């Protein structure tokens, strides 16, 4: 029998409320709470895992370890971020802002995979998908089945009939199921359709990749609730107006979350970036306010260019703006430079930019950020062919980096860096020929460069 009740969900963070409110008390967003009528028909509301028909306990020795075998996506970056390929029966959510390249990434992976793939598309028509496949140079592929459908009760029987080895869903926000009355894209629809995919994946052992749009704030819109339900959450980031994209794992039940994938958006789809340091344009050392930093993201070490602009404020309150780095981290570095290195920034606007549209989380970039800031403040370029690698502590000390310093040094030498500034406490096993390592204690020593 149908049973229905009124439930209120915040469309931003997915929190369930018992009554309507103007502001969500959890995420503090206004006008995001909407009423969703959830009716439960004969079928039980989707639990994360289906109830087994016959309960049976297992010994570890009874379990077939072979089921842990992974399926390659034929995309080296995607495989690495997943922890070595797709795990049978796993559900992966790929989040990212509209236009960043999620559909491109998964369509090209689907076309290259040596498996029968079902590509469920609620976003684009078959003709549009065909055009994209042609652009990717793979429209002759006949292993990928396109299903332009958004109704779960139509999709699932089709999947059961075709028995694909991998399923891609573009996107979870477009789907709707009969078991919930609210509109597609609402929290209860997203939760229920995802639960149905999870059930399908676990029952059939088919890996399912779900695309989900995220909002500007970096929250997977509405389906934040999904993060807890799925096995793996990947995020595709970058600036849609730049060429480079980073793929990160935010959660991974089958691997670590340190690995990243780097891509370049080209006219023929997303190409893996083999040499990340190639991203840097090579203007460093010529203009004031630019510094090269060596960072490690996951197992990759590469150089990034930081650009700073410190200029007198026009308005009463000085502005601090950052692209590609943590704003709070910039505030911290500015406070340390004021207190420990005698800079006076209260009358200045500060802009910081990581070039290439990359977003860096590694704090090893702190020293390069500080160097770029001082260089702009002094309006003096930094010496050419130098790089920086070190975290900055609150007392103004330069701290050693936790990533793979050896690989970072090799990468630095490879791109022609002659001198690198690191923490006095940095442990280094070997230093490549032609690279001079300078060990510093305090961030104020940056002034020695001018
Ligand atoms: P898309 O995959 O549609 O983004 P999403 O699914 O995340 O919304 O693609 C985003 C952009 O990529 C789009 O503006 C066009 C561009 N693009 C290329 O530059 N090269 C290509 O080969 C393809 C297929 C797309
Ligand atoms: Mg898309």
């Amino acid at each position: 029998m149908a049973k229905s009740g009124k439930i209120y969900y915040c469309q931003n963070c997915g929190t369930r409320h018992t009554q309507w409110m103007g502001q969500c008390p959890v995420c503090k967003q206004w006008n995001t709470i909407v009423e969703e009528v959830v009716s439960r028909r004969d079928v039980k509301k989707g639990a994360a895992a289906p109830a087994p028909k016959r309960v049976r306990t297992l010994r570890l020795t009874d379990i077939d370890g072979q089921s842990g075998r992974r399926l390659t996506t034929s995309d080296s970056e995607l495989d690495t971020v997943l922890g070595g390929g797709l795990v049978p029966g796993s559900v992966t959510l790929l989040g990212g802002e509209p236009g960043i390249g999620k559909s491109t990434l998964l369509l090209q992976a689907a076309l290259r995979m040596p498996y029968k793939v079902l590509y469920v598309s609620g976003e684009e028509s078959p003709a549009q998908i065909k055009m994209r496949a042609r652009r990717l140079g793979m429209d002759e592929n006949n292993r990928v089945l396109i299903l332009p459908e958004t109704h779960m009760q139509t999709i699932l029987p089709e999947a059961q009939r075709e028995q694909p080895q991998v399923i891609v869903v573009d996107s979870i926000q477009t789907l709707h199921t009969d078991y919930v009355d609210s509109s597609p894209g609402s929290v209860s629809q997203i939760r229920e359709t995802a639960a149905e995919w999870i059930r399908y994946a676990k029952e059939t052992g088919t890996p399912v990749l779900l695309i989900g749009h995220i909002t500007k704030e970096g929250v997977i819109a509405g389906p934040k609730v999904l993060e807890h339900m799925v096995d793996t959450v990947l995020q595709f980031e970058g600036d849609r107006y730049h060429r480079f994209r980073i793929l990160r794992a935010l959660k991974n039940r089958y691997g670590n979350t340190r690995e990243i994938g780097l891509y370049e958006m080209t006219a023929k789809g997303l190409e893996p970036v083999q040499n990340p340091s190639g991203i840097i344009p090579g203007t460093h050392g010529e203009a004031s306010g630019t510094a090269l930093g060596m960072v490690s993201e996951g197992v990759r070490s590469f150089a990034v260019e930081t650009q700073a602009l410190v200029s007198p404020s026009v308005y009463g309150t000085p502005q601090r703006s950052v692209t590609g780095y943590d704003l709070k981290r910039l505030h911290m570095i500015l406070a340390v430079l004021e207190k420990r290195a005698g800079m006076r920034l209260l009358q200045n606007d500060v802009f910081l930019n990581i070039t290439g549209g990359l977003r860096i989380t590694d704090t090893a970039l702190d020293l390069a950020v500080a160097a770029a800031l001082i260089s702009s403040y002094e309006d003096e370029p930094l010496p050419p062919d130098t790089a920086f690698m070190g975290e900055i502590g609150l007392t103004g000390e330069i701290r050693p980096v936790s990533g793979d310093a050896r690989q970072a040094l090799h990468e630095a030498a490879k791109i022609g860096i002659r001198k690198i500034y690191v923490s006095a406490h940095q442990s280094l096993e070997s230093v490549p020929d032609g690279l001079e390592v300078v060990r510093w204690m305090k961030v104020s020593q940056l002034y020695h460069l001018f």
Side-chain angles (χ1 to χ4, degrees), residues 97-104 132 135-136 265-269:
E97 284 176 20
I100 204 76
K102 301 178 295 297
S103 306
T104 307
R132 183 177 305 221
R135 196 168 169 178
L136 298 169
M265 182 61 98
T266 70
K268 284 193 176 139

Side-chain angles (χ1 to χ4, degrees), residues 331-351:
H331 280 294
M332 191 281 274
I333 295 170
L334 290 173
V336 170
L337 289 176
E338 293 222 26
K339 182 107 181 161
R340 315 281 177 196
M343 275 174 92
R344 287 286 159 262
L345 295 161
L346 283 176
Q347 308 291 321
N348 289 299
D349 291 339
V350 176
F351 304 94

Side-chain angles (χ1 to χ4, degrees), residues 21 70 74 90 93 101 133 200 229 285 330 344 346 358 437 444:
M21 279 171 278
R70 292 174 188 251
S74 300
S90 67
L93 175 68
Y200 176 88
M229 300 167 67
L330 172 66
R344 287 286 159 262
L346 283 176
L358 293 180
V437 176
S444 54

Side-chain angles (χ1 to χ4, degrees), residues 102-103 123-124 132 170 213:
K102 301 178 295 297
S103 306
E123 299 254 337
E124 284 152 358
R132 183 177 305 221
D170 187 7
H213 298 296

Side-chain angles (χ1 to χ4, degrees), residues 11 34 36 173 180-191 222:
Q11 303 293 308
V34 296
E36 291 186 9
Q173 273 106 335
V180 174
D181 282 343
S182 52
S183 56
S186 65
V187 174
S188 28
Q189 279 289 359
I190 288 170
R191 198 202 304 257

